[in-house]
């Protein structure tokens, strides 16, 4: 029974990661610099990164974890730039 619940949790997390990553990519590709969709795109990328980090930790997939930690860093930079913090 525990295996089914764990798999369902990971399925939801991974689906969230895929959908938010696709939506974030679309927002960034279709918006101009300074457009409000740009901020949404970076925020969606952060959701995707966090989702894949959780999945990588649960599945113990180190390359996926490392890749998404770096992606999360670039997403944070994107959010900060859009927010005029940097």
């Amino acid at each position: 029974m525990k295996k089914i619940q764990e798999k369902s949790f990971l399925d939801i997390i991974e689906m969230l990661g895929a959908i938010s990553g696709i939506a974030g990519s679309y927002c960034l590709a279709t918006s101009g610099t300074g457009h409000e969709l740009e901020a949404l795109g970076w925020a969606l990328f952060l959701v995707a990164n966090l989702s894949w980090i959780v999945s990588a930790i649960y599945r113990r997939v180190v390359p996926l974890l490392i890749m998404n930690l770096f992606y999360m860093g670039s997403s944070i930079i994107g959010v900060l730039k859009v927010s005029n913090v940097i």
Side-chain angles (χ1 to χ4, degrees):
M1 194 76 159
K2 187 175 182 183
K3 269 284 201 214
I4 294 171
Q5 290 174 340
E6 191 173 300
K7 187 177 187 314
S8 297
F9 170 73
L10 282 177
D11 287 344
I12 292 167
I13 292 295
E14 290 171 353
M15 188 59 68
L16 175 64
I19 291 170
S20 58
I22 291 167
S25 178
Y26 177 80
C27 287
L28 288 176
T30 59
S31 69
T33 302
H35 193 273
E36 54 196 36
L37 274 182
E38 184 183 15
L40 178 60
W42 288 115
L44 287 167
F45 271 150
L46 275 176
V47 172
N49 300 144
L50 289 171
S51 298
W52 287 111
I53 287 168
V54 169
S55 173
I57 290 170
Y58 268 88
R59 293 187 186 276
R60 296 184 176 151
V61 182
V62 175
L64 182 63
L65 175 62
I66 293 169
M67 180 178 70
N68 277 282
L69 286 170
F70 277 93
Y71 284 169
M72 192 167 101
S74 67
S75 296
I76 290 170
I77 291 169
V79 167
L80 293 175
K81 280 187 170 187
V82 169
S83 303
N84 293 318
V85 174
I86 59 171

